[in-house]
Amino acid sequence: MKQDLSKIQNKLGRGKSVIGLHIGTSSVNAVQVITHQGKLTLIKAVVEKITLKDGENLDSVVSAALRVVLSQFPIQRAAVICTIHDSQVFVRKITTPPMPVQELDAAVHLALKNAFPFSLDEAVLDFRLVGKFFHQDKEKYGVLVAACPIPTIERVRALFFGRSVKPVQGSFKKALVDKKEPKSAGVKLASFIPAVIALENLTGRFKIKADEIVSVIVFGSTVTEMIILKNSRLEFSRSLSVTGDEITKSMTGAFFSDTGKTELTFSEAEEVKKVCGIPKADDFSQITEKITSQQVLVLIGPKIEQLVTEINRSFGYYSEELQGGKVDRVLLLGEAAKLKRLDDFLSDGLGVEVRRANPLEGISLLDPSVISSQEESQKYVLSIGAALGSPQGINLLSQKPGKKNGRVLQLTISKIVVVLIVAVIGFYFVSLNTQIRVRSERIKKTKQDLISQVKDARAVLAIRRLSEGRPSWGEILKIFSNVPRNIYLTELSLSNDQLHIKGMVLIEGEDSKATLAQFISGLQEGVLKDARLKFSKKSKEEINQFEFEISANVETVE
């Protein structure tokens, strides 16, 4: 039966498929996923432990384990998506103003220029638009960004070809350079993704309600990762310091019992942890000859409390600093999450529902023997998440070492072109502005000369029209010898000893009305009596003038 299954796996695996791969510190594991009979189906799972002996090159041992795993898959048409699980991998969610997608690259680089402990010029950066929202009535974009130094990525890439590279800060432990390792060919590396992105892919198949805020914690032997999702989208991630091995080590310290001073080896402590988990406060049973339940609780209690504290601080930071809201529930994944009563202990400490999740939720198995139990599936959490990804998503697969990401290079060229265009346009507008200023001065001077000439001409015209009436000449002309500078007359006419005065007032704010009133009052100081304003209105021809007409009785001079 097993032989028949192997043949079916090989046959199906030769078609189009995705191999999700996770290179951990203690093992390399991979799963192969295809679409079979209309369902997403996991057809094969392989794990290979990493055992390092004294004097061995770590990279060589990891590379050998990697080749053992990949050799068990037909990889000719498979796209391999590998997780990058390293302290130098950073994932951030940022917000930007709305803009065309082609401009997001420049905006992201500018926003994160100094956000990481490495230069973006020597790193691979990728991002995806995760949504649009409104903040204080303004539209914003949510952008998920991942970045990693190129040497770190090249170090992982080198593992696929059986050769070592110099260690980089935050990557694998120090290893000697070994150029004698043979190369392996035929692997189609489609994508490198951060481990938290693989975790987001996995939880996308969990039944998470709309607007529900869920934290997912992968509790591993050597690494613990936590993410917070809203609407099934990654909002926040961080690594926690408390791991499964840390809890085990806490039981290896010396303690005193009725038999005197006692110590447990790491393997003994691991076995005790599997048997009793987190003991209850009222449990006084004897676990082994060396240790009781209460002694276990005393020894591991501080580490478990530290785990609760770190999670609570992360929730507080997300809620208050990032204004993300309150976490509704927590899902546990990973091999160390099998610790008995861990979910109850965390639930009491966090004040929210905590339960174990199934990594295979929403995924069919080709055969039940592929992964025999939910407990076994916890080994493959990140490789399953990687297999559920897409090369079109966030991808940290770099170019050759030392070269910039293509987007950054393209951005640099675009910036140079833009600067040149702006410089040319700027020079043109400076020249144009100078010409406009010179011409404006000429127009202003010409306008002043024209206004002066028009006023003189209209005054002459007014005197000519006045000659047709019966004024007392000297006295009437004396009245108009001091007309205010912003008033000029357009017509004077005399009929039946009544003088009609028409003219224009140049508008100068609120003072124009006072000027006209002062002019009317001054008319009555001579031979004119009962001067009054008949009407005033804005000129139809000039927007900065209004017309007026004044009538006054002419006093007879004998």
Side-chain angles (χ1 to χ4, degrees), residues 208-249:
I208 297 177
K209 300 175 183 177
D211 295 325
E212 185 180 24
I213 300 176
V214 177
S215 175
V216 181
I217 300 174
V218 180
F219 195 36
S221 299
T222 57
V223 177
T224 301
E225 291 287 346
M226 185 193 80
I227 65 172
I228 296 177
L229 305 108
K230 185 175 183 180
N231 292 322
S232 298
R233 292 187 179 276
L234 182 62
E235 293 267 305
F236 173 79
S237 66
R238 67 161 293 191
S239 296
L240 303 177
S241 64
V242 180
T243 65
D245 283 356
E246 289 292 322
I247 293 175
T248 302
K249 289 177 183 176

Side-chain angles (χ1 to χ4, degrees), residues 71 148 297 513:
S71 68
C148 181
L297 186 59
K513 295 180 180 179

Side-chain angles (χ1 to χ4, degrees), residues 474-491:
E475 294 295 327
I476 291 177
L477 292 176
K478 189 185 297 183
I479 294 172
F480 298 106
S481 61
N482 293 312
V483 176
R485 66 179 180 83
N486 57 347
I487 292 178
Y488 63 89
L489 306 181
T490 59
E491 183 178 334

Side-chain angles (χ1 to χ4, degrees), residues 299-529:
L299 291 172
I300 70 173
K303 279 294 177 185
I304 302 297
E305 291 291 350
Q306 181 184 342
L307 178 62
V308 172
T309 300
E310 286 189 28
I311 297 172
N312 264 323
R313 285 177 178 171
S314 300
F315 287 179
Y317 179 81
Y318 172 74
S319 175
E320 296 172 14
E321 298 296 326
L322 302 182
Q323 299 180 346
K326 183 180 180 297
V327 173
D328 297 307
R329 59 190 175 108
V330 175
L331 300 177
L332 294 179
L333 291 165
E335 290 187 87
K338 298 180 293 185
L339 185 66
K340 293 178 181 178
R341 284 177 289 280
L342 176 63
D343 50 352
D344 294 334
F345 192 91
L346 292 179
S347 182
D348 292 340
L350 301 175
V352 297
E353 176 194 353
V354 179
R355 70 171 180 84
R356 293 181 179 87
N358 179 11
L360 294 174
E361 186 171 338
I363 302 173
S364 299
L365 292 176
L366 179 64
D367 186 87
S369 63
V370 174
I371 295 179
S372 60
S373 65
Q374 181 177 328
E375 182 174 317
E376 185 187 357
S377 69
Q378 300 294 343
K379 299 177 184 178
Y380 303 98
V381 166
L382 293 177
S383 55
I384 294 173
L388 296 176
S390 168
Q392 283 71 48
I394 285 181
N395 188 348
L396 294 179
L397 194 58
S398 71
Q399 307 297 321
K400 292 182 180 180
K403 289 190 177 181
K404 295 184 180 181
N405 183 301
R407 282 182 174 176
V408 178
L409 186 60
Q410 185 179 5
L411 176 64
T412 303
I413 295 173
S414 299
K415 283 182 176 179
I416 293 173
V417 173
V418 170
V419 168
L420 289 174
I421 292 174
V422 170
V424 172
I425 294 175
F427 178 78
Y428 171 76
F429 275 104
V430 168
S431 175
L432 184 62
N433 188 53
T434 302
Q435 295 179 36
I436 291 173
R437 187 165 60 250
V438 170
R439 293 186 181 183
S440 295
E441 292 295 332
R442 291 177 181 175
I443 291 171
K444 184 177 178 180
K445 187 176 183 307
T446 303
K447 183 177 179 181
Q448 290 174 345
D449 292 342
L450 287 174
I451 290 175
S452 177
Q453 294 173 16
V454 168
K455 289 179 70 173
D456 293 343
R458 287 179 172 171
V460 172
L461 178 62
I463 292 172
R464 288 178 179 176
R465 289 178 177 172
L466 183 63
S467 64
E468 297 175 359
R470 301 191 307 269
S472 58
W473 307 105
E475 294 295 327
I476 291 177
L477 292 176
K478 189 185 297 183
I479 294 172
F480 298 106
S481 61
N482 293 312
V483 176
R485 66 179 180 83
N486 57 347
I487 292 178
Y488 63 89
L489 306 181
T490 59
E491 183 178 334
L492 293 175
S493 61
L494 184 62
S495 176
N496 297 326
D497 295 328
Q498 190 173 57
L499 183 65
H500 298 276
I501 308 165
K502 294 182 180 180
M504 293 282 188
V505 178
L506 299 177
I507 294 177
E508 294 184 359
E510 293 295 326
D511 293 337
S512 58
K513 295 180 180 179
T515 300
L516 185 58
Q518 184 180 357
F519 173 63
I520 294 173
S521 176
L523 293 176
Q524 303 187 87
E525 294 179 358
V527 295
L528 300 180
K529 301 296 182 184

Side-chain angles (χ1 to χ4, degrees), residues 83-155:
T83 63
I84 296 284
H85 204 186
D86 193 279
S87 61
Q88 290 288 288
V89 178
F90 291 86
V91 178
R92 296 281 189 275
K93 183 183 177 184
I94 64 172
T95 59
T96 69
M99 65 183 70
V101 176
Q102 60 268 24
E103 295 180 12
L104 273 177
D105 200 345
V108 168
H109 276 79
L110 183 62
L112 298 176
K113 183 179 179 181
N114 300 313
F116 306 124
F118 48 80
S119 169
L120 290 181
D121 290 342
E122 299 300 329
V124 176
L125 182 147
D126 201 5
F127 62 88
R128 75 167 189 258
L129 182 64
V130 296
K132 302 177 183 180
F133 62 96
F134 284 88
H135 178 66
Q136 296 180 348
D137 296 328
K138 294 182 179 179
E139 188 180 21
K140 300 285 185 180
Y141 282 178
V143 182
L144 191 67
V145 185
C148 181
I150 289 177
T152 300
I153 293 172
E154 290 305 312
R155 181 174 181 78

Side-chain angles (χ1 to χ4, degrees), residues 188-205:
K188 180 184 176 183
L189 284 174
S191 179
F192 281 168
I193 64 173
V196 294
I197 299 295
L199 191 54
E200 180 192 31
N201 295 338
L202 181 68
T203 55
R205 290 188 166 270

